[in-house]
Amino acid sequence: MASLYIPVQNSEEEVRVALDQLPRDAADILDILKAEQAPLDLWLIIAREYFKQGKVEQFRQILEEGSGPEIDEYYSDVRYERIAILNALGAYYSYLGKIETKQREKEDHFILATQYYNKASRIDMHEPSTWVGKGQLLLAKGDVEQASAAFKIVLDGDRDNVPALLGQACVEFNRGRYNESLELYKRALLVHPDCPAAVRLGIGLCRYKLGQFDKARQAFERVLQLDPENVEALVALAIMDLHKNEAIGIRKGMEKMQRAFEIYPFFAMALNYLANHFFYTGQHFLVEQLTETALAVTNHGPTKSHSYYNLARSYHSKGDYEKAGLYYMASVKEINKPYEFIFPYYGLGQVQLKLGDFRSAQSNFEKVLEIYPDNCETMKALGHIYVQLGQTEKAQEFMRKATKIDPRDSQAFLELGDLLISSDAVAALDAFKTARGLLKKGGQEVPVELLNNIGVLHFERGEFELAEQTFKEALGDGIWLSFIEGRENFQEIDASESIIQYKDLQLFQRLEESGRHVELPWNKITTLFNLARLQEQLHNPETASVLYRLILFKYPEYIDAYLRLASIAKARNNIQLSIELVHDALKVNDKCPNALSMLGELELKNDDWVKAKETFRAASDATDGKDSYATLSLGNWNYFAAIRNEKRNPKLEATHLEKAKELYTRVLLQHPANLYAANGAGVVLAEKGHFDVSKDIFTQVQEAASGNIFVQMPDVWINLAHVYFAQGNFALAVKMYQNCLRKFYHNTDSQILLYLARTHYEAEQWQDCKKTLLRAIHLTPSNYTLRFDAGVTLQKFSASTLQKEKKTADEVRSTIAELENAVRLFSHLSAASNLHFHGFDEKKIDTHVEYCKNVLDAAKPHLEAAIREEQQIRQRQEVARQVALAEEARRKAEEHRKFQLERRKQEDELKRVRQQEEHFQRVKEQWKSSTPGSKRRERSDLDDEEGGNSERRRRKGGKRRKKDKSSKSRYETEEAEADMRDDQEYPDDEDANLNYREPTSQNDQDEAEENVLDPLAAAGLEDSDAEDEEAVPSSTAGRRRRAWSESDDDESLQRRPLSRENSAELQQSDEEVREDGDKPNGNTVSDDED
């Protein structure tokens, strides 16, 4: 057992003090120390022993007594021990200030610590331990730069000072310079290998921050080897185990956390991790206890932030949003910058979004997005906030970003579809389908709500088959499939008992009694209702009725099913049944505005004006005037009251119209896109004569209503047609009526046909008017008004036809026939027993009958005159026809004559061309078959012929130059005669040529040599003499003589074939020779012609 010996003053005796048995009252030991003037190092040892035993007050009392003025004066020559005592007090108060949670007391502790360190510095300003203490104080205060300066002062004097190295390592760690901090810890360990385990804890933390987890684990485990109860190392290893995110790691981590808590139950980090664990296990009581303890024992900002965050999460999960918001805010305040700990910002944004503080929530989520720009959850939250703030485009932008960042996030696509469903139905449908595909691909169940939305969008686009498939997929198997597919017979009630049929629920009771399972889950009610609505659209009201009754059988308070049954009954014109069904709905909720509005409409249709007005007012009061439908219905009531068929009071009519306009305007102010209110306002303006304004309104309403299956507004088409009619634009009015008939009524509405007939009547299109009225009569044969209108139309048509200046007999006959039909119609109406019931006056009808008979009598002279005129016209037409036929015959004869002349000319021309070609071929053959021997025998004859005729040719050549401008026909005649003489003059030459064609080697060689020259001539490479011959045509003998002379001079060259130019020249020269020889009087004739 350790003991301390205090020497007795002026004696060799010593006072023995057992360190483990120090007196509880420090005054006893102080008296001994003061009395014996014990060395100050003993004071310091005793004080430290008190501190180890947890007796902090005794520790402080001894050190403060040892640093008092008396001690300073007595021990003035002792410097180190005095400095050590002051530094110990400074370190003590630095620690108190560090762990103190109250700011005022924290500052007080730091002030005392500063005073003690300054006093120590005054004793020796170069003492390293004092500067180390000052550095620790500055670190506790958060002044990292000043702390670094203090540690560097020590290290500049002693680079191996271990406390200074450890202090500077802490500075670098706080700066985020983990490599530098690690090097300083290593230096301290090298200098002092037996240093405390905390040094290796610093090394482990640096390794962990640098991502060197294995080495960090080794360091922490080494700390535990040296100090098995080191809480920091246990917590660090526990965190590393937890971050493995494995079941074994989480279990080991929590075991280490529990052990750390058992060793030291006030370690804040361990408390926070334990609270986090108990949060996920749902033990919120333990979470709150642990976090409150952590907040009580720590003053470290990030640690407190985690504690507040855990506490806020606990209250958040329990639904206490007010407290959760406060603790989230406290967690945020403990953080200097959001990147240090972003989770409380996200939680605070969630709570503010829940509490409706959208601006604050937006700010917090945007901070989260700055740190994590690709966080899909934050983007979706911001999308919801922008929707609430009315910034739909921004909301859609964030949702689209979320789907791009994570294309597998089905929830993002689902929420994007919810955003787009009101603005872009096609894109919303694509988003919903993508979400459905992702859920199916991931093996998850597709929510009924999602399938219901997809079905509704298909329904709105008119894709009824796809809508039905989707609704059936959402509903799955059930009794409803039996009704839809016709496997259950639900049409057992006679049609005459229609009231029972629409209200009968015993069908399902009988099914249950027979053992059938009749169930309808609550989350499928809306989908089944939509499927029944689809059956209505597909014109299956019976199937829709049984589905609505199935809903009412399982959920009798589902008011919309009653209203749809009432709507089906109304469509069948069973107003009384419809009213009863609406009353059944009002029994469930007598303040239901939809039921009240429908009841008022039915009462109005039943001509119960007073009740209808009261019902509409009740519907409006039920919603404090916010229900646009009820307000709109009141506007309609005032409009109908203004235009009733009873005697009109101009003042009352104007009052009702103005009230209707006011109500329509009120609806438009609340809902600017309400098409029905806009249509009503247009109707009122049209009634007041403002046709241009009302036409613009009707046009805009028509454009907005087009393309939406749920907005069927034939009224706006009819109103627009009425405006065109009122403006006299009958063509557009007719087109609008016809389009409305085809688009909404399948051309089967007699009332619109009546509007159309009236338009044709005003446009004086009598036949179109008659046809339209006949179609309407065919649809409603009991409507006598249409018959009367048809008679008036026939009467007007007949009168207008007879008033025409020019009319044919057929037109007059047709007029008489129509008049007879009109008489028959009016007579039939006059004989009807219920004439007055349809609003007809018998005298007026008789007047029409008499008028038609008078017109019939007046039509007979018109018919006779028309027949005479028609005969005269027919005679004139016959004469004109005969003249036209004669002229046509003459024209054809002239054309035939011209054709024959032209054909003869073409034949003559073809014959001439053919003769020229034949002659050319003969000449060509003659030249090919000629030989040098025959040319020699003929040379003398040709010379004689040339000598005898040279003078004559000379004269003729001169005359021929004068006759170059003679007619072509003369040359053609002369060439034909020359051909005939040529054939007669040279028969012997042809025989001779034939003889020379016998094969001889020499002749063949000569002939081949001559042929070589022919291509040269064809290419235009003849000598100058040949060109001169072309300029002055020569005789055939001259040409031949030159050809022979050339062949004699150059026998080695082969002959070449004649070109077209040479052939033509030869032909011309031959004709000239024959002409000179056969026509001795040719010169005389030429002279005469010249």
Side-chain angles (χ1 to χ4, degrees):
M1 184 168 296
S3 298
L4 179 68
Y5 295 93
I6 303 173
V8 177
Q9 189 175 7
N10 300 322
S11 172
E12 295 181 357
E13 295 181 356
E14 296 176 338
V15 178
R16 177 178 172 273
V17 178
L19 295 179
D20 59 340
Q21 295 179 359
L22 291 174
R24 183 179 297 273
D25 187 2
D28 297 339
I29 196 71
L30 279 173
D31 291 341
I32 295 173
L33 292 172
K34 288 180 180 179
E36 302 300 334
Q37 297 181 358
L40 291 178
D41 59 337
L42 297 180
W43 292 58
L44 194 59
I45 292 170
I46 293 172
R48 187 171 62 217
E49 192 61 30
Y50 271 119
F51 186 81
K52 286 180 180 180
Q53 295 176 13
K55 299 174 181 179
V56 179
E57 185 61 29
Q58 290 85 342
F59 159 80
R60 183 185 60 78
Q61 186 178 354
I62 289 174
L63 290 181
E64 286 181 352
E65 199 65 38
S67 60
E70 298 177 358
I71 300 298
D72 289 341
E73 182 179 354
Y74 185 79
Y75 295 96
S76 59
D77 56 338
V78 180
R79 302 176 58 186
Y80 179 78
E81 285 78 1
R82 288 169 56 197
I83 291 173
I85 290 173
L86 292 171
N87 287 342
L89 282 171
Y92 169 69
Y93 284 109
S94 296
Y95 171 74
L96 290 180
K98 185 177 180 180
I99 64 173
E100 182 58 54
T101 57
K102 297 179 181 179
Q103 189 64 31
R104 183 182 182 83
E105 295 177 0
K106 176 191 287 290
E107 291 178 357
D108 291 341
H109 292 314
F110 286 148
I111 290 171
L112 288 174
T114 303
Q115 291 175 355
Y116 284 118
Y117 282 129
N118 289 338
K119 187 175 181 181
S121 294
R122 285 194 293 270
I123 297 173
D124 185 358
M125 64 179 301
H126 299 293
E127 174 59 36
S129 60
T130 304
W131 286 109
V132 171
K134 286 184 177 181
Q136 294 291 345
L137 173 62
L138 293 169
L139 268 180
K141 294 169 69 175
D143 193 351
V144 178
E145 298 301 325
Q146 292 294 330
S148 176
F151 293 132
K152 283 183 177 180
I153 290 173
V154 178
L155 291 174
D156 288 341
D158 182 8
R159 64 183 302 273
D160 292 333
N161 187 290
V162 174
L165 286 172
L166 295 177
Q168 187 63 25
C170 291
V171 169
E172 299 298 339
F173 188 89
N174 288 329
R175 287 175 173 175
R177 300 174 182 176
Y178 304 116
N179 280 316
E180 290 81 350
S181 177
L182 180 61
E183 293 300 323
L184 290 168
Y185 279 124
K186 287 181 178 180
R187 274 182 56 192
L189 193 60
L190 287 173
V191 173
H192 186 52
D194 297 331
C195 63
V199 176
R200 289 179 173 82
L201 183 67
I203 293 174
L205 292 174
C206 290
R207 297 284 190 188
Y208 182 83
K209 289 291 186 180
L210 291 171
Q212 302 171 5
F213 301 117
D214 292 337
K215 292 185 177 181
R217 181 178 289 276
Q218 292 175 2
F220 294 139
E221 289 174 350
R222 178 60 178 161
V223 173
L224 288 178
Q225 289 176 2
L226 298 174
D227 183 6
E229 294 186 354
N230 190 292
V231 176
E232 291 86 350
L234 279 171
V235 171
L237 286 172
I239 292 172
M240 293 184 73
D241 289 335
L242 292 172
H243 285 180
K244 289 182 178 180
N245 204 20
E246 298 174 355
I248 298 175
I250 293 173
R251 186 174 64 253
K252 289 183 177 179
M254 292 313 300
E255 289 175 356
K256 291 183 175 68
M257 285 290 181
Q258 185 176 358
R259 184 181 167 196
F261 178 75
E262 292 171 353
I263 294 172
Y264 183 62
F266 304 105
F267 189 70
M269 187 174 290
L271 294 172
N272 283 337
Y273 271 95
L274 286 170
N276 182 68
H277 170 73
F278 290 122
F279 170 79
Y280 286 109
T281 59
Q283 297 171 281
H284 297 289
F285 175 73
L286 291 176
V287 173
E288 294 168 11
Q289 277 192 336
L290 291 169
T291 50
E292 288 173 359
T293 303
L295 288 170
V297 299
T298 185
N299 198 36
H300 184 241
T303 305
K304 289 182 70 175
S305 177
H306 279 75
S307 300
Y308 282 125
Y309 174 70
N310 286 332
L311 199 56
R313 280 197 305 172
S314 178
Y315 285 111
H316 191 173
S317 64
K318 292 191 296 184
D320 191 347
Y321 300 112
E322 296 290 343
K323 280 189 176 181
L326 292 174
Y327 284 117
Y328 279 131
M329 188 68 71
S331 177
V332 166
K333 288 180 179 178
E334 295 294 336
I335 304 169
N336 294 324
K337 295 180 181 179
Y339 68 85
E340 294 179 356
F341 189 42
I342 197 62
F343 296 135
Y345 288 95
Y346 188 86
L348 182 59
Q350 286 180 312
V351 170
Q352 289 168 339
L353 180 61
K354 188 71 177 178
L355 295 175
D357 189 359
F358 301 119
R359 294 293 181 184
S360 300
Q362 175 189 350
S363 174
N364 286 306
F365 282 124
E366 285 175 351
K367 290 176 182 177
V368 176
L369 209 59
E370 290 177 3
I371 308 302
Y372 297 102
D374 294 339
N375 186 269
C376 292
E377 297 299 326
T378 306
M379 288 184 179
K380 290 188 283 187
L382 281 171
H384 285 297
I385 291 171
Y386 284 120
V387 169
Q388 299 299 326
L389 294 175
Q391 302 177 23
T392 310
E393 293 182 358
K394 261 196 168 183
Q396 294 176 5
E397 179 185 350
F398 274 102
M399 287 300 180
R400 286 194 174 96
K401 283 183 180 179
T403 56
K404 288 179 181 178
I405 292 172
D406 188 2
R408 296 175 295 178
D409 188 353
S410 59
Q411 188 64 28
F413 282 101
L414 186 59
E415 294 178 5
L416 177 61
D418 289 335
L419 283 177
L420 294 171
I421 199 167
S422 59
S423 59
D424 190 348
V426 177
L429 182 59
D430 292 338
F432 284 141
K433 286 182 176 179
T434 305
R436 179 178 63 179
L438 290 171
L439 289 170
K440 287 184 176 180
K441 190 175 180 180
Q444 302 178 42
E445 183 180 356
V446 182
V448 175
E449 295 80 6
L450 173 57
L451 292 172
N452 181 70
N453 289 339
I454 294 174
V456 169
L457 289 173
H458 281 307
F459 190 4
E460 288 182 350
R461 297 181 63 186
E463 300 168 350
F464 299 132
E465 292 185 5
L466 292 174
E468 187 173 11
Q469 292 174 6
T470 309
F471 287 144
K472 287 181 178 178
E473 181 184 353
L475 290 169
D477 294 332
I479 190 65
W480 45 83
L481 289 180
S482 301
F483 296 123
I484 296 171
E485 296 172 1
R487 297 198 300 267
E488 288 290 343
N489 184 14
F490 54 85
Q491 298 179 347
E492 299 177 354
I493 300 176
D494 188 80
S496 60
E497 302 178 1
S498 58
I499 295 179
I500 300 175
Q501 180 181 3
Y502 283 98
K503 302 176 71 174
D504 176 40
L505 300 179
Q506 295 180 359
L507 168 65
F508 308 105
Q509 294 176 356
R510 291 194 297 270
L511 288 173
E512 286 186 339
E513 291 172 359
S514 64
R516 297 296 302 275
H517 189 64
V518 182
E519 287 295 333
L520 177 60
W522 65 268
N523 62 335
K524 295 183 179 180
I525 300 174
T526 303
T527 307
L528 186 61
F529 180 86
N530 291 334
L531 181 58
R533 187 70 185 84
L534 177 62
Q535 295 299 319
E536 281 190 72
Q537 195 68 32
L538 294 174
H539 308 291
N540 297 325
E542 300 300 332
T543 306
S545 169
V546 75
L547 293 179
Y548 290 135
R549 284 182 283 153
L550 172 60
I551 294 174
L552 292 175
F553 177 71
K554 302 302 294 184
Y555 301 93
E557 297 183 354
Y558 199 82
I559 294 178
D560 289 342
Y562 286 111
L563 299 182
R564 289 315 306 169
L565 287 171
S567 179
I568 294 173
K570 177 188 171 185
R572 294 193 169 188
N573 206 25
N574 195 337
I575 304 300
Q576 188 60 36
L577 172 60
S578 184
I579 291 175
E580 290 184 11
L581 289 167
V582 174
H583 278 299
D584 290 340
L586 289 172
K587 289 178 183 177
V588 178
N589 181 8
D590 59 348
K591 299 290 186 181
C592 178
N594 293 336
L596 289 170
S597 298
M598 189 172 185
L599 179 60
E601 184 183 350
L602 291 169
E603 291 170 344
L604 194 63
K605 199 173 185 68
N606 211 20
D607 206 23
D608 197 344
W609 288 78
V610 178
K611 279 188 177 181
K613 186 175 183 180
E614 292 176 356
T615 305
F616 286 140
R617 284 181 176 173
S620 180
D621 294 340
T623 58
D624 297 329
K626 296 179 181 179
D627 183 37
S628 58
Y629 190 87
T631 308
L632 191 63
S633 299
L634 276 173
N636 293 341
W637 186 93
N638 281 277
Y639 171 73
F640 290 134
I643 63 170
R644 292 184 69 180
N645 292 328
E646 301 172 0
K647 293 181 180 180
R648 294 192 177 185
N649 184 343
K651 284 188 176 181
L652 189 61
E653 179 180 348
T655 302
H656 281 306
L657 286 176
E658 193 61 32
K659 184 63 176 178
K661 180 183 176 183
E662 177 188 342
L663 292 168
Y664 292 142
T665 306
R666 186 189 305 172
V667 174
L668 286 173
L669 290 174
Q670 294 176 353
H671 306 282
N674 192 303
L675 301 180
Y676 299 96
N679 181 59
V683 169
V684 173
L685 290 170
E687 290 288 344
K688 291 183 175 182
H690 305 299
F691 297 119
D692 291 333
V693 179
S694 62
K695 183 175 69 175
D696 293 340
I697 293 174
F698 291 143
T699 303
Q700 294 180 27
V701 173
Q702 181 192 26
E703 292 175 354
S706 299
N708 192 334
I709 192 172
F710 287 111
V711 183
Q712 298 288 337
M713 291 191 66
D715 294 349
V716 71
W717 295 66
I718 297 171
N719 292 334
L720 193 55
H722 287 346
V723 171
Y724 286 135
F725 176 85
Q727 291 181 327
N729 197 340
F730 301 123
L732 285 176
V734 167
K735 186 177 180 181
M736 194 62 63
Y737 285 133
Q738 290 174 345
N739 290 339
C740 181
L741 265 173
R742 184 180 62 255
K743 182 177 178 68
F744 300 103
Y745 299 103
H746 306 287
N747 295 316
T748 58
D749 188 274
S750 59
Q751 187 64 36
I752 299 178
L753 285 171
L754 182 60
Y755 297 151
L756 182 59
R758 171 66 187 280
T759 307
H760 286 309
Y761 183 88
E762 293 295 333
E764 297 184 357
Q765 299 168 350
W766 315 116
Q767 292 298 325
D768 292 333
C769 180
K770 183 187 75 171
K771 291 177 183 178
T772 306
L773 286 171
L774 290 177
R775 284 173 58 193
I777 291 171
H778 178 73
L779 291 171
T780 54
S782 61
N783 191 334
Y784 283 11
T785 303
L786 296 175
R787 296 176 183 272
F788 178 82
D789 293 338
V792 173
T793 302
L794 295 175
Q795 173 186 315
K796 190 71 176 178
F797 165 68
S798 303
S800 63
T801 304
L802 293 176
Q803 290 173 2
K804 291 197 307 186
E805 294 182 0
K806 292 183 179 181
K807 48 189 173 293
T808 64
D810 291 338
E811 289 178 342
V812 177
R813 291 190 190 94
S814 175
T815 299
I816 292 172
E818 298 293 8
L819 280 170
E820 292 174 350
N821 290 332
V823 170
R824 189 160 48 251
L825 280 171
F826 287 132
S827 300
H828 177 70
L829 289 174
S830 179
S833 60
N834 54 352
L835 189 64
H836 296 286
F837 177 77
H838 295 284
F840 296 124
D841 186 359
E842 186 175 355
K843 293 182 179 179
K844 186 175 181 180
I845 293 177
D846 292 339
T847 303
H848 281 286
V849 172
E850 292 298 326
Y851 177 80
C852 290
K853 289 180 178 179
N854 293 334
V855 175
L856 271 173
D857 295 337
K860 293 178 181 179
H862 287 281
L863 178 60
E864 295 173 357
I867 291 173
R868 288 194 300 271
E869 179 69 20
E870 204 172 70
Q871 291 175 351
Q872 293 173 3
I873 291 172
R874 193 178 295 113
Q875 291 173 359
R876 287 194 295 270
Q877 288 177 348
E878 181 64 24
V879 172
R881 189 178 67 83
Q882 294 297 334
V883 172
L885 289 174
E887 180 65 25
E888 180 68 18
R890 187 194 63 76
R891 185 182 59 79
K892 288 183 178 180
E894 181 66 23
E895 289 179 355
H896 182 69
R897 187 183 65 79
K898 290 181 179 180
F899 175 73
Q900 292 295 334
L901 288 174
E902 185 67 27
R903 188 176 66 179
R904 281 196 290 271
K905 284 183 181 181
Q906 292 178 358
E907 290 175 353
D908 293 343
E909 180 67 22
L910 290 172
K911 184 177 179 181
R912 187 185 64 77
V913 172
R914 189 163 51 251
Q915 288 174 353
Q916 288 179 359
E917 290 179 354
E918 290 174 357
H919 176 68
F920 174 71
Q921 292 296 332
R922 284 196 299 272
V923 173
K924 186 176 179 182
E925 292 297 330
Q926 289 174 7
W927 277 95
K928 285 184 179 181
S929 61
S930 63
T931 59
S934 63
K935 292 179 181 179
R936 292 191 191 97
R937 286 197 301 271
E938 294 175 358
R939 183 178 298 175
S940 59
D941 298 334
L942 293 173
D943 290 340
D944 294 340
E945 186 180 354
E946 185 180 4
N949 297 328
S950 60
E951 185 65 26
R952 183 174 56 192
R953 280 200 311 276
R954 196 175 298 114
R955 291 196 300 270
K956 185 177 179 180
K959 292 180 180 179
R960 190 170 290 278
R961 284 192 295 274
K962 294 178 181 179
K963 296 191 318 182
D964 286 340
K965 297 181 180 180
S966 61
S967 64
K968 180 180 179 181
S969 62
R970 181 176 178 181
Y971 277 109
E972 292 174 354
T973 306
E974 291 173 354
E975 288 174 1
E977 293 174 356
D979 291 339
M980 293 173 66
R981 286 193 295 274
D982 185 73
D983 294 338
Q984 296 173 2
E985 186 177 359
Y986 298 105
D988 296 336
D989 291 341
E990 293 178 5
D991 296 337
N993 290 338
L994 291 172
N995 293 333
Y996 277 105
R997 288 193 190 108
E998 295 177 2
T1000 58
S1001 60
Q1002 184 63 36
N1003 291 340
D1004 291 342
Q1005 183 176 2
D1006 295 340
E1007 193 170 333
E1009 291 174 354
E1010 290 175 1
N1011 290 335
V1012 174
L1013 299 175
D1014 292 341
L1016 297 174
L1021 299 177
E1022 298 174 341
D1023 57 12
S1024 58
D1025 293 337
E1027 294 175 358
D1028 295 338
E1029 291 168 4
E1030 289 180 5
V1032 181
S1034 62
S1035 63
T1036 304
R1039 290 176 181 272
R1040 289 175 178 172
R1041 187 163 56 249
R1042 283 191 297 274
W1044 287 332
S1045 63
E1046 289 173 359
S1047 64
D1048 291 339
D1049 294 339
D1050 192 5
E1051 293 180 355
S1052 63
L1053 297 175
Q1054 296 180 355
R1055 292 183 182 178
R1056 57 189 172 180
L1058 295 174
S1059 65
R1060 290 188 177 180
E1061 291 86 351
N1062 294 337
S1063 300
E1065 291 170 0
L1066 287 174
Q1067 183 178 354
Q1068 184 178 3
S1069 63
D1070 290 343
E1071 290 172 358
E1072 292 174 356
V1073 170
R1074 287 195 291 275
E1075 185 179 358
D1076 293 339
D1078 296 339
K1079 294 184 179 180
N1081 297 325
N1083 292 335
T1084 306
V1085 175
S1086 298
D1087 294 338
D1088 294 337
E1089 290 177 357
D1090 293 335

